[in-house]
Amino acid sequence: MRSTNRKQMLREIEREAAYTRSMTGRGAFSPAVMKAMETVPRERFVPEDARLQAFYNGPLPIGHGQTISQPYIVALMTDLLDPQPDDEILEVGTGSGYQAAILSRLVRRVNTMEIIEPLLTRAADTLSSLGYTNVVCRVGDGNHGWPEKASFDGIIVTAAAPAIPPALIDQLKPGARMVIPVGLPYYHQELMLLEKDETGEISSKDVLGVVFVPLTGNPARGGDRE
Ligand code: SAM
């Protein structure tokens, strides 16, 4: 039953990718990304009472006013990041741990940060119970990235920032990408793809209008709670 539902979810993702092609420039996602979406058990990342809706192609509440993102958006953001097997990735906004789990199937290591401690604890437990040992989790304010682990081959931010945090740009390696929703809370936000070239120049493009929960914390100074 669950594998049927997961296949249905994959078809929904394929349909929405084709439908949004003119905006995103990609009518389909890479086979590796789709394989990760097929193999990671999404039902393990949603609260018990939402398991029946786990494969619905929309966001779901995970407690503390936060959400697990829509499967299509997870697939799109993963595809935009263009993850490679040897990559070291930073995710800001662990939430349920689902996006980190998807990335963990595609790269060497995922470093994921979450500002709400109970969410981080639950996500870390889920990831470890599934044996996803290449995900490192910590509580902290992602506005400042993770300087001790920088720099990264890719950064994915799963909460909307009013502006791109400069620390995250600094923590990108030359040649690396960042995928981030930018805009005001509960207002228009744009999913952006940034690339840092070999000389450190940044280019960016708007990919799609989206709605994410806000990036909280303090953009002006360190707010880590470790
Ligand atoms: N990637 C998540 C998943 O797969 O379930 C979905 C994340 S949810 C849309 C956004 C998350 O970002 C929330 O859990 C929220 O607490 C977290 N967040 C918001 N501001 C943050 C910050 N400054 N640093 C780290 N995490 C933050």
Side-chain angles (χ1 to χ4, degrees), residues 200-224:
E201 279 291 305
I202 300 291
S203 60
S204 72
K205 71 173 176 194
D206 293 355
V207 178
L208 191 69
V210 288
V211 182
F212 273 81
V213 295
L215 187 73
T216 58
N218 188 339
R221 62 176 174 77
D224 290 357

Side-chain angles (χ1 to χ4, degrees), residues 56-150:
Y56 152 71
N57 188 26
L60 291 170
I62 55 170
H64 303 271
Q66 305 303 322
T67 54
I68 176 173
S69 302
Q70 176 188 1
Y72 158 74
I73 290 289
V74 173
L76 172 64
M77 291 177 76
T78 308
D79 201 67
L80 287 166
L81 203 61
D82 191 24
Q84 302 298 314
D86 207 31
D87 280 357
E88 174 107 17
I89 300 292
L90 172 66
E91 181 195 23
V92 173
T94 313
S96 68
Y98 180 67
Q99 173 72 77
I102 295 291
L103 283 166
S104 80
R105 306 299 81 204
L106 298 162
V107 303
R108 184 165 53 84
R109 186 162 37 231
V110 183
N111 304 282
T112 183
M113 305 178 66
E114 170 58 55
I115 204 163
I116 301 176
E117 191 162 1
L119 285 181
L120 194 276
T121 305
R122 191 169 65 200
D125 286 351
T126 308
L127 290 161
S128 123
S129 71
L130 288 166
Y132 296 158
T133 52
N134 61 339
V135 184
V136 183
C137 303
R138 71 170 281 197
V139 174
D141 181 353
N143 280 291
H144 313 288
W146 194 327
E148 303 82 356
K149 296 253 182 191

